[in-house]
């Protein structure tokens, strides 16, 4: 079957979109697709079979579950075909820089679908672990990288304005000047160590007796697009919490935060209901994919595969409140 015959079906495209965040169980994929398209479980199973048989997806058993991932080879075929059309939207001497005429760009940007149920459409998060130090001791940083289709000035303001932070992180008091102290309501607080507009923000992250550091880097990648990197540096990687949940304990929380930020940047509102999203089929599928992504990052950092996957599964169960069966 030709690649575009496979991708011509919206349900199969949606399944692949859900898989871009990482390995996901067939149960969560089925639940998310049924919620969005109103189709039956056998119908979703048939689409999964087509993706397997045509080489777009891999599946592996794990106990009673079946875990799906994307296969890159067929997507490479699609990319190769699309490449021949790239000159039609890349910048050229005649000044053409976008498939949308200048007068339509703002309308195109402001009419993006930003419903909470579609948040994973925009997730293209890279997750890594990096060795570093904290207060002179060995530490690990959980690092998330992604791109937002927004100007760097807007992303910076969303990350440093108390009023805007309240719309996607939660109520915050204090100030974000260097040396200033901030406090998130019911969450962490700390001191602003670096604030270099519009590129770098570094704060201490203090909660109960735990001390860590969060650093955000922003850079402009293109017209109205911003590369976003967040590193959460944690000193203790051998404590019970890390052993039980691995890097996903902190990482998945930031994954959810970035979904809220995406929603806020797209709408300017504070109507993203994190609890409702987490309880939805879409939310559970995204959390499962993010947990698997952190397990893979853990393995790449040297953890035994079985240990990393078990920790990732515990993280998924913690955030979703179910066993994924």
């Amino acid at each position: 079957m030709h690649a575009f015959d496979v991708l011509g079906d919206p349900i199969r495209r949606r399944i692949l979109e859900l898989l871009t965040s990482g390995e996901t169980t067939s149960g969560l994929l089925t639940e998310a697709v049924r919620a969005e398209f109103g189709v039956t479980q056998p119908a979703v199973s048939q689409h999964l079979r087509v993706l397997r048989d045509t080489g777009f997806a891999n599946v592996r058993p794990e106990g009673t579950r079946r875990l799906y991932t994307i296969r890159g080879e067929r997507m490479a075929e699609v990319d190769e075909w699309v490449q021949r059309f790239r000159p039609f939207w890349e910048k050229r001497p005649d000044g053409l820089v976008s498939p949308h005429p200048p007068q339509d760009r703002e309308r195109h940007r402001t009419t993006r679908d930003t419903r909470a149920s579609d948040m994973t459409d925009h997730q293209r998060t890279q997750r890594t672990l990096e060795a570093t130090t904290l207060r002179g001791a060995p530490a690990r940083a959980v690092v998330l990288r992604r791109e937002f289709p927004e100007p760097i000035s807007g992303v910076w303001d969303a990350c440093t304005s108390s009023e805007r932070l309240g719309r996607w992180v939660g109520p915050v008091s204090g100030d974000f000047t260097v040396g200033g102290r901030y406090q998130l309501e019911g969450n962490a607080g700390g001191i602003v160590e670096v604030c270099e507009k519009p590129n770098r923000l570094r704060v201490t992250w203090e909660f109960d007796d735990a001390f860590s550091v969060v650093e955000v880097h922003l850079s402009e990648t293109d017209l109205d697009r911003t590369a976003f990197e967040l590193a959460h540096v944690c000193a203790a990687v051998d404590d019970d919490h890390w052993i039980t949940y691995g890097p996903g304990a902190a990482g998945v929380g930031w994954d959810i935060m970035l979904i809220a930020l995406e929603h806020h940047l797209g709408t300017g509102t504070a109507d993203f209901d994190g609890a409702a999203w987490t309880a939805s089929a879409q939310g559970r599928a995204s959390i499962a994919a993010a947990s698997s992504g952190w397990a893979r990052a853990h393995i790449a950092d040297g953890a035994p595969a079985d240990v990393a996957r078990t920790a990732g599964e515990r993280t998924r169960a913690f955030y979703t409140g179910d066993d994924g069966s």
Side-chain angles (χ1 to χ4, degrees):
M1 185 180 292
H2 192 279
F4 284 98
D5 292 327
V6 178
L7 299 179
D9 186 276
I11 292 179
R12 291 196 284 270
R13 289 199 305 272
R14 185 62 178 139
I15 291 171
L16 291 172
E17 288 170 355
L18 291 169
L19 290 175
T20 58
S21 293
E23 194 172 52
T24 308
T25 66
S26 59
L28 288 172
L29 290 170
T30 299
E31 188 175 4
V33 170
R34 291 186 66 187
E36 289 189 39
F37 292 89
V39 296
T40 64
Q41 184 273 331
V44 180
S45 295
Q46 180 61 31
H47 286 295
L48 288 170
R49 180 178 179 179
V50 170
L51 291 173
R52 293 196 311 269
D53 291 348
T54 57
F56 276 90
N58 281 328
V59 63
R60 69 176 182 87
E62 186 178 84
T64 60
R65 303 188 306 160
R66 291 166 66 80
L67 298 166
Y68 279 81
T69 53
I70 286 179
R71 288 186 62 180
E73 297 90 340
R74 294 303 303 273
M75 299 306 295
E77 292 178 27
V78 176
D79 183 64
E80 183 179 354
W81 187 86
V82 171
Q83 289 303 317
R84 71 186 71 179
F85 299 98
R86 187 170 296 279
F88 290 95
W89 68 77
E90 287 187 331
K91 186 173 182 179
R92 302 191 312 212
D94 62 5
L96 179 63
V97 296
S98 170
H100 302 282
Q103 65 270 23
D104 289 344
R105 287 180 197 156
E106 184 62 23
R107 176 174 56 82
H108 174 70
R109 187 162 68 90
T110 57
T111 55
R112 290 196 315 268
D113 185 357
T114 53
R115 293 172 298 169
S117 63
D118 290 336
M119 286 296 104
T120 53
D121 286 355
H122 307 295
Q123 282 190 293
R124 298 293 183 271
T125 304
Q126 297 178 333
R127 303 172 183 87
T128 58
L129 291 178
E130 297 180 3
T132 184
T133 60
L134 183 65
R135 290 178 163 177
R140 280 287 186 274
V142 294
V143 183
L144 301 89
R145 298 181 179 91
R146 61 161 299 170
E147 188 173 283
F148 289 110
E150 301 291 335
I152 191 170
S153 58
V155 180
W156 174 263
D157 190 56
C159 293
T160 57
S161 160
S162 296
E163 188 272 332
R164 291 192 66 182
L165 281 167
R167 300 184 194 177
W168 63 277
V169 175
V172 58
S173 58
D175 72 89
F176 276 83
T177 59
V178 174
R181 176 167 283 277
Y182 73 94
Q183 179 64 53
L184 292 167
E185 186 177 299
N187 203 327
I191 296 173
V192 178
E193 295 187 335
V194 178
C195 188
E196 299 172 353
K197 183 179 181 179
N199 300 112
R200 184 181 175 215
L201 175 70
R202 177 184 169 98
V203 301
T204 64
W205 190 263
E206 304 166 35
F207 189 75
D208 292 335
D209 295 329
F211 178 90
S212 55
V213 168
V214 174
E215 186 159 344
V216 172
H217 288 264
L218 305 180
S219 59
E220 196 169 41
T221 62
D222 202 349
L223 180 68
D224 289 347
R225 299 190 73 85
T226 301
F228 177 101
E229 176 183 297
L230 183 146
H232 190 167
V233 182
C234 308
V237 297
D238 57 354
D239 63 10
D240 290 341
H241 196 66
W242 181 277
I243 292 170
T244 301
Y245 296 104
V252 171
W254 288 114
D255 277 295
I256 296 171
M257 285 285 196
L258 294 192
I259 291 171
L261 175 57
E262 172 76 30
H263 181 75
H264 168 64
L265 291 172
T267 66
T269 67
D271 62 356
F272 179 79
D273 188 334
W277 180 85
T278 300
S280 70
Q282 183 71 64
R284 288 197 296 274
S286 295
I287 288 169
S291 299
S292 294
W294 285 113
R296 290 194 300 276
H298 202 184
I299 294 168
D301 191 55
D306 58 338
V307 171
R309 289 184 179 129
T310 298
E313 175 57 21
R314 291 193 189 109
T315 299
R316 183 205 59 75
F318 172 81
Y319 277 99
T320 62
D322 64 55
D323 62 7
S325 59

